[in-house]
Amino acid sequence: QVQLVESGGGLVQAGGSLRLSCAASGGTISTYAMGWFRQAPGKEREFVGGISWSGAYTYYADSVKGRFTLSRDNAKNTVYLQMNSLKPEDTAVYYCAAANTKVVNPSPLTYGYWGQGNQVAVSS
């Protein structure tokens, strides 16, 4: 049973940067596509981006494209979300998720394993 734990969130001023980490235990995620989602208060969970099992392919929501970067280190069983030029509208709880597929899918229904969530708050 894969377990995911996010870390690295916090409070940052607009224009600042944060890096979220998602560490897996209980199994390898090296063959899993990984996704990041976020949920702001009163809003539905939305896809932020995803990375294929090898790391060769990444996909981003239009709202974060050019500002966020996904990467993974399969040897460390960890995925990263580098967030630059943060905006107040990026404020949300961020979740990483693992899908037992090789390719990225933006639908949360694809993902069978989820982290507990990590708060990111961006002040103006």
Side-chain angles (χ1 to χ4, degrees):
Q1 182 81 359
V2 172
Q3 294 181 326
L4 304 173
V5 177
E6 302 99 339
S7 61
L11 174 64
V12 65
Q13 287 189 330
S17 298
L18 284 173
R19 188 176 82 154
L20 301 183
S21 298
C22 173
S25 62
T28 179
I29 57 170
S30 62
T31 60
Y32 284 50
M34 299 296 294
W36 284 91
F37 294 79
R38 66 187 181 185
Q39 188 165 19
K43 295 188 176 181
E44 292 188 354
R45 191 168 297 190
E46 65 171 348
F47 176 77
V48 174
I51 186 166
S52 62
W53 69 277
S54 66
Y57 300 99
T58 53
Y59 303 89
Y60 300 95
D62 287 343
S63 58
V64 307
K65 202 172 291 183
R67 300 188 297 121
F68 290 13
T69 304
L70 279 160
S71 60
R72 66 189 299 161
D73 185 339
N74 284 340
K76 294 183 177 180
N77 230 17
T78 302
V79 179
Y80 305 97
L81 178 65
Q82 177 67 43
M83 304 184 293
N84 298 329
S85 302
L86 282 161
K87 305 175 181 180
E89 51 263 44
D90 294 319
T91 295
V93 177
Y94 283 70
Y95 299 87
C96 70
N100 193 4
T101 63
K102 296 257 188 321
V103 297
V104 174
N105 190 310
S107 169
L109 299 177
T110 306
Y111 297 81
Y113 302 101
W114 291 82
Q116 81 287 354
N118 202 237
Q119 178 70 53
V120 170
V122 184
S123 63
S124 56

